Amino acid sequence: MLGSVLTLVFVLVFNFFLFRVVQTDPIGSLFRGRNVPQATIDNLRVAFGLDQPIGTQFLYYLRETAQLNFGISYQSRQPVWDEIVRAIPATLALVGISSVLSAVIGTLGGIVAAWRRNTWKDHSITSSTMVFYSMPDFWLGMILLVLFAVVLGWFPVGGITTAGSNETGLARLIDQAYHMFLPALTLTLAYLGEYTLVTRSSLLDVMGEDYLTVARAKGLRDVRVRNRHAVPNALLPVVTLTAINFGFVLSGAIAVEAVFSWPGLGKATADAIRGPDLPMLQALFLLFSAAVIVFNLIADITYSWLDPRVEEI
Amino acid sequence: MSDSLLSIRDLSITYHTQGRAVPAVRRVSLDIEKGGSLGLAGESGCGKSTLANSILRLLPAGTEVTGHITLDGKDVLGLTPGGLRAVRWTAGAIVFQGALHALNPVQTVGDQIAEPMSLHRTVADDDAAKVRVVELLRRVGLPAARAESFPHELSGGQRQRVLIAMALACDPQLLIADEPTTALDLMVQAQVLALLEDLKEERDLTLLFITHDLSVLTYACERLAVMYAGRIVEEGPAWEVFENGSHPYTRALAAAFPTIGDEGSRMAPSGLGGDPPTPGDLPGGCPFHPRCPLAHDACLPAEPELRVSGEARRAACVLV
Amino acid sequence: MTSIAMQRRRATVSRVWAQFRSSRQGMIGLAVLLVFVAVALAAPLLADVRELNPVYARAQGNPQWGPPSVFPPLGTDYIRRSVWAQFVWGSRVSLFVGLAATVLTILIGSVVGIVAGFVGGKVDAVLMRVTEWFLVIPFLPLAIVLASVLGRNVWNIIFVIGITSWPSTARLVRAQVLTVKQRLFVDRARSLGAGGGHIVAHHILPNVSGLILANATLAVPISILTETTLSFLGLGDPTAASWGKTLEEAFVNGAMARNAWWYFLPAGLGILAVVLAFTLIGRTLEEIANPRLSRSR
């Protein structure tokens, strides 16, 4: 708990200095080469507090951050936070569904592979997940997009709703789910590998344990030995991985969202890069870091709750 | 021997690892009559735990097992998977070594003790199982509240008691105790031994007791069998074998004495140089000859068979 | 003394090689990797570098968006450049950036890990805290921010990857250094009056080098994939076109809507093959360096 707070403080400080180094001339970048009277610039410097010593500036930054005031986006001229709030639901839906699917399918795959290790099942599961694991996720997205949207025409080529449609309620939801299918499939396939490989090696470790022999000696069926004794122990590291990954995937979908023009945080990031839209990038970076910290904490709490050997934190 | 509860005939067990055949148990025959007790001794790697696990067919898949094992009149090696599961823990149960991870770390010990009861339907329902768990825990000297504990919350001695309670869950006839006192300090070791002795009397158990500690076996068992390199090299009434071994290896084991504080060499056979042979690479002739203080030319040509060495005694040594 | 050390090193190398050769996945990985290294080295022989220049391509009368059937072997792109030439020359950039970034990653990670593990105490505590912080900062956004700030050239990309991916190496190396330190011979060397530098060079490094090598091999895929993603997001070096840059141009210029598969398939397959090759080699080396792993696999 204390560690998480310290880390958050570190991220805040880091974020402040990173963008201070980056943004040597924030006022200048605001006008981007246009001719502006020096007096205006000076006034703005005072207005933004840039004439203050660095300590004061940091306090100012902390206050603004606490109020979720990240400035104005260069690109849209809207408050950055409003832009982000608009993008959050799309990312949460896409990344949430893909993460859950990949965690569940990947874990099941890892269990089957380990329990039947060195059989054709194991070999095909392990090698196929390694292939998906080794390709750039956005490239996988490009291939699926061309195949299923361009060539076969089964799915839309991008976006979250059909252009020009003004459906509401359930019809709108179905339309969005239809648009989400390909990006979600891409992310699920891309994330699968890690869960499969981690589950497999974790279960293989557990399979050497004596309590499994004991369970068999008691007369338990093989399936029950696996489900009641092996898997609960093998899943402990997987649960941690899942929670930690949730923090990271929020930022991991940047390129895939760009491929499918999915209007979430990832696409916002990809768009901000082109500017570069520094206020937007700064806020996104802070948000992504905060997500990782929060989910790390959740991982710790879940672990201590699942494993009786770990003291409550 | 119609009154044998456990009868093992010509049992050979061969592991196959990485294309190599490793004989762990070689042509072993043993009998334990109902209510009897047999101690199986030998250094680690001699095949005694493999033998113990084979009785409930707990060996890894792909292990080659030949011979016959008859437990409570059932041909263990010929049972169907369902028949085998029915025999496990009811006809014979194992007290595993508590120092190992024999208890599932994420389940309460009560659940683990109750598991075979509901599985084999020896209790009417969950409530009856709970009652029986408490009974068993009390019987092995643990408070009822321990049922809610997780294994890591128990001491080594308490874990061993839990494993004993667990083995008793379905009232087995044969109790196989595999190193149940290893890694416990001497005081606790004595308590666990006394508990096993009481339980055996009280429940008319048949006991197969396995450890490298010959003095423990002599205390706990009527008969003794000594294993070396996958074979039984001597067998007979416990006290006589211990006091007056026919095989040089038995005498070395009997002369071993504990060195306090040193787990590793605590039971090192006295006066023996070297290590026991690796099962995959046995020396020719008598496999014990490279370490035997009495080895001579007669030991080399062939491995000696077990032969009578006294009343109800057998030994496998050319000097017998 | 040195000749003994040399001999010992040669013996270790031949032992590792013998073990490596017996691993099927390791040998497949190595074979694939060698093919791509050969392609990268022989690039001038395989494709005329002028084919990358749209002006030259137009003067040659190349078709626009020409499929492989029209312009073998891999067709042309939206400005008539040969995709084959881009593939061949892109392999150089991708491999170079991947390897150079990994060297930097391993260098930073090893130095931090060795110093933390060897010196211990407060230094260790501070270094490990910093390492933990870097582990928490989401790596891709950080790389994006740094890259968009520093500017778009190959060296900045290498720097960005190195500075963002060292923490896991540092942790691994530190753990290994601590184990090695526990062993008797370091104490013995110290009691004989050997200095810290000597101990690190002669006792610590030789013992952790196997692990570092395995870790480095497994870090290359991450470097290559990161470079690809950064390039795809428009942060790549415009003058040194990597496979990732090819994918970006294909995406931005509508190769997908045209179903110009020949434009974006080869680069992606190249990345996939190289990443997979390094992963297979790395896993094999890891099993050799840490035998406990191989038993469970």
Side-chain angles (χ1 to χ4, degrees):
Chain A
M1 196 71 205
L2 182 69
S4 305
V5 174
L6 267 178
T7 315
L8 192 65
V9 171
F10 166 75
V11 167
L12 281 170
V13 174
F14 185 84
N15 191 39
F16 174 72
F17 282 103
L18 183 68
F19 282 86
R20 193 102 336 213
V21 171
V22 168
Q23 216 170 350
T24 41
D25 184 14
I27 307 295
S29 59
L30 202 61
F31 298 112
R32 285 207 261 171
R34 271 178 288 153
N35 231 343
V36 177
Q38 189 59 39
T40 315
I41 294 180
D42 287 343
N43 283 342
L44 276 170
R45 282 180 64 82
V46 173
F48 280 113
L50 292 171
D51 55 336
Q52 303 291 316
I54 197 102
T56 317
Q57 285 190 33
F58 182 66
L59 288 178
Y60 179 77
Y61 152 83
L62 281 186
R63 197 185 66 208
E64 296 299 308
T65 304
Q67 293 169 355
L68 300 175
N69 181 4
F70 297 99
I72 307 290
S73 159
Y74 292 171
Q75 278 169 338
S76 66
R77 302 277 155 187
Q78 299 285 313
V80 163
W81 184 246
D82 294 354
E83 293 276 296
I84 287 179
V85 166
R86 257 196 296 281
I88 282 179
T91 289
L92 275 188
L94 173 62
V95 164
I97 287 175
S98 321
S99 303
V100 170
L101 282 179
S102 56
V104 170
I105 302 171
T107 305
L108 290 176
I111 291 173
V112 172
W115 205 252
R116 300 267 168 262
R117 71 177 178 288
N118 292 331
T119 61
W120 66 269
K121 266 189 193 164
D122 178 20
H123 291 310
S124 48
I125 289 173
T126 311
S127 41
S128 61
T129 49
M130 268 183 56
V131 167
F132 282 120
Y133 195 48
S134 299
M135 58 176 79
D137 49 6
F138 64 86
W139 181 68
L140 175 63
M142 287 166 79
I143 291 177
L144 293 177
L145 184 78
V146 169
L147 191 62
F148 292 108
V150 177
V151 176
L152 296 171
W154 293 352
F155 291 97
V157 290
I160 191 168
T161 47
T162 309
S165 81
N166 46 9
E167 286 160 327
T168 50
L170 187 64
R172 186 181 163 82
L173 204 66
I174 291 172
D175 189 38
Q176 288 177 347
Y178 179 53
H179 279 76
M180 197 200 277
F181 184 86
L182 283 181
L185 177 66
T186 306
L187 288 176
T188 306
L189 288 175
Y191 298 152
L192 266 183
E194 193 171 11
Y195 291 102
T196 305
L197 296 178
V198 168
T199 306
R200 178 176 180 274
S201 78
S202 170
L203 187 54
L204 283 179
D205 279 349
V206 169
M207 277 162 69
E209 295 284 0
D210 298 296
Y211 50 80
L212 295 192
T213 310
V214 175
R216 259 187 284 271
K218 285 175 177 175
L220 267 64
R221 278 170 192 278
D222 198 46
V223 175
R224 202 174 140 123
V225 171
R226 185 185 76 190
N227 294 347
R228 295 255 313 168
H229 293 276
V231 170
N233 280 285
L235 281 192
L236 291 174
V238 182
V239 169
T240 317
L241 176 80
T242 312
I244 291 176
N245 270 5
F246 265 79
F248 276 104
V249 289
L250 216 53
S251 59
I254 295 172
V256 173
E257 282 191 10
V259 167
F260 290 97
S261 316
W262 185 258
L265 296 171
K267 183 161 181 301
T269 312
D271 293 342
I273 292 169
R274 307 270 167 188
D277 189 343
L278 290 173
M280 194 75 192
L281 274 182
Q282 181 170 22
L284 285 166
F285 180 63
L286 204 58
L287 181 69
F288 291 147
S289 306
V292 176
I293 295 170
V294 168
F295 278 101
N296 269 324
L297 190 63
I298 292 176
D300 286 350
I301 293 170
T302 324
Y303 199 97
S304 72
W305 179 61
L306 286 178
D307 189 343
R309 285 165 296 186
V310 180
E311 295 287 316
E312 297 282 330
I313 51 166
Chain B
M1 293 210 192
S2 57
D3 57 347
S4 287
L5 179 73
L6 174 70
S7 168
I8 296 176
R9 283 285 163 277
D10 276 328
L11 184 72
S12 292
I13 300 170
T14 310
Y15 292 116
H16 292 276
T17 48
Q18 287 152 4
R20 268 162 42 88
V22 179
V25 172
R26 301 180 296 134
R27 299 191 310 284
V28 163
S29 296
L30 276 178
D31 283 280
I32 312 180
E33 55 198 45
K34 273 201 174 75
S37 57
L38 175 74
L40 194 59
E43 289 163 281
S44 52
C46 73
K48 54 191 195 307
S49 285
T50 300
L51 182 66
N53 285 340
S54 73
I55 296 169
L56 295 182
R57 266 171 61 188
L58 293 172
L59 301 172
T63 308
E64 184 188 332
V65 183
T66 58
H68 296 279
I69 299 173
T70 314
L71 173 59
D72 194 23
K74 295 185 184 74
D75 170 20
V76 173
L77 299 181
L79 287 172
T80 59
L84 178 66
R85 285 198 298 272
V87 165
R88 284 175 175 173
W89 226 249
T90 54
I94 305 182
V95 178
F96 288 90
Q97 187 183 333
L100 303 174
H101 295 153
L103 291 167
N104 186 338
V106 301
Q107 274 185 16
T108 62
V109 299
D111 285 349
Q112 295 185 60
I113 296 172
E115 187 174 30
M117 298 179 198
S118 43
L119 189 78
H120 294 289
R121 305 228 163 77
T122 55
V123 289
D125 52 27
D126 285 359
D127 290 335
K130 276 200 184 102
V131 172
R132 176 134 171 86
V133 166
V134 169
E135 263 173 38
L136 286 169
L137 284 175
R138 290 228 174 91
R139 183 60 199 87
V140 298
L142 291 173
R146 276 295 170 219
E148 303 304 321
S149 299
F150 287 96
H152 73 279
E153 297 165 336
L154 307 178
S155 71
Q158 288 174 322
R159 273 204 291 273
Q160 195 61 63
R161 286 170 193 271
V162 166
L163 285 165
I164 293 172
M166 197 161 92
L168 296 174
C170 297
D171 281 319
Q173 292 178 277
L174 174 70
L175 201 63
I176 303 167
D178 191 358
E179 305 269 10
T181 59
T182 310
L184 299 177
D185 65 53
L186 286 177
M187 186 69 177
V188 182
Q189 197 174 31
Q191 290 168 353
V192 170
L193 270 181
L195 173 64
L196 281 172
E197 194 183 0
D198 288 349
L199 289 168
K200 181 182 179 312
E201 287 309 309
E202 177 186 308
R203 294 169 190 238
D204 197 25
L205 291 167
T206 307
L207 187 64
L208 174 60
F209 199 122
I210 295 170
T211 169
H212 53 266
D213 188 337
L214 208 61
S215 56
V216 164
L217 290 183
T218 311
Y219 174 84
C221 301
E222 293 147 19
R223 290 182 65 79
L224 261 187
V226 178
M227 275 186 90
Y228 189 80
R231 297 204 65 192
I232 291 187
V233 294
E234 176 152 15
E235 199 210 334
W239 182 248
E240 285 172 40
V241 171
F242 182 67
E243 271 294 274
N244 188 18
S246 308
H247 199 286
Y249 181 63
T250 310
R251 290 200 290 274
L253 272 189
F257 59 91
T259 318
I260 306 289
D262 182 1
E263 286 294 333
S265 73
R266 191 158 107 183
M267 288 298 158
S270 151
L272 281 185
D275 295 316
T278 25
D281 184 24
L282 297 178
C286 171
F288 185 58
H289 84 259
R291 302 171 77 195
C292 182
L294 307 174
H296 59 291
D297 293 348
C299 303
L300 290 175
E303 189 166 359
E305 293 298 316
L306 272 174
R307 55 190 137 183
V308 175
S309 61
E311 200 188 331
R313 291 185 63 175
R314 297 181 298 165
C317 177
V318 290
L319 297 174
V320 173
Chain C
M1 179 65 204
T2 23
S3 77
I4 293 177
M6 288 273 287
Q7 258 173 16
R8 207 186 298 152
R9 190 148 306 165
R10 212 170 294 148
T12 313
V13 169
S14 63
R15 180 182 56 82
V16 168
W17 173 238
Q19 273 175 282
F20 190 90
R21 243 184 10 199
S22 68
S23 157
R24 201 170 51 141
Q25 63 164 5
M27 289 309 278
I28 293 175
L30 190 62
V32 172
L33 181 61
L34 286 177
V35 168
F36 279 92
V37 168
V39 167
L41 291 178
L45 303 174
L46 295 170
D48 190 340
V49 72
R50 287 176 299 175
E51 289 281 0
L52 297 178
N53 184 340
V55 180
Y56 174 84
R58 193 185 178 94
Q60 288 289 302
N62 291 0
Q64 199 179 9
W65 292 114
S69 54
V70 175
F71 190 89
L74 292 178
T76 57
D77 68 2
Y78 67 109
I79 40 177
R80 302 164 196 268
R81 294 172 304 178
S82 154
V83 176
W84 168 246
Q86 293 181 51
F87 178 77
V88 167
W89 288 91
S91 73
R92 280 193 163 193
V93 182
S94 285
L95 276 175
F96 173 72
V97 173
L99 290 173
T102 304
V103 168
L104 189 62
T105 302
I106 299 298
L107 213 63
I108 303 175
S110 300
V111 168
V112 171
I114 288 174
V115 168
F118 187 70
V119 177
K122 281 212 179 83
V123 177
D124 182 26
V126 170
L127 283 178
M128 280 304 108
R129 193 85 234 181
V130 173
T131 309
E132 231 167 82
W133 284 337
F134 267 91
L135 274 176
V136 168
I137 294 183
F139 144 91
L140 191 60
L142 178 59
I144 286 171
V145 168
L146 283 174
S148 48
V149 167
L150 293 172
R152 294 156 196 200
N153 79 55
V154 166
W155 295 104
N156 284 344
I157 296 282
I158 292 170
F159 172 77
V160 163
I161 298 173
I163 207 75
T164 48
S165 42
W166 60 270
S168 52
T169 308
R171 286 233 281 214
L172 201 68
V173 170
R174 173 179 170 271
Q176 189 73 7
V177 168
L178 289 181
T179 332
V180 173
K181 213 168 96 172
Q182 299 254 303
R183 287 191 219 145
L184 205 65
F185 56 85
V186 175
D187 288 343
R188 211 175 48 205
R190 194 175 258 169
S191 70
L192 288 172
H198 176 89
I199 294 175
V200 168
H202 288 87
H203 298 279
I204 305 263
L205 268 185
N207 280 289
V208 298
S209 56
L211 188 87
I212 292 180
L213 181 68
N215 185 249
T217 318
L218 288 171
V220 178
I222 299 171
S223 300
I224 291 181
L225 287 173
T226 308
E227 190 278 333
T228 308
T229 305
L230 291 178
S231 291
F232 181 74
L233 293 172
L235 296 167
D237 188 334
T239 62
S242 67
W243 285 334
K245 186 82 188 152
T246 303
L247 292 179
E248 186 221 359
E249 291 193 44
F251 174 67
V252 170
N253 294 294
M256 289 152 67
R258 289 173 174 276
N259 189 21
W261 49 269
W262 60 89
Y263 194 6
F264 59 82
L265 271 189
L269 286 174
I271 294 161
L272 171 60
V274 170
V275 166
L276 205 53
F278 273 107
T279 307
L280 292 175
I281 295 171
R283 280 169 66 113
T284 311
L285 287 176
E286 200 179 46
E287 280 168 18
I288 294 171
N290 188 355
R292 201 191 70 79
L293 288 171
S294 63
R295 228 185 311 144
S296 64
R297 268 178 193 152

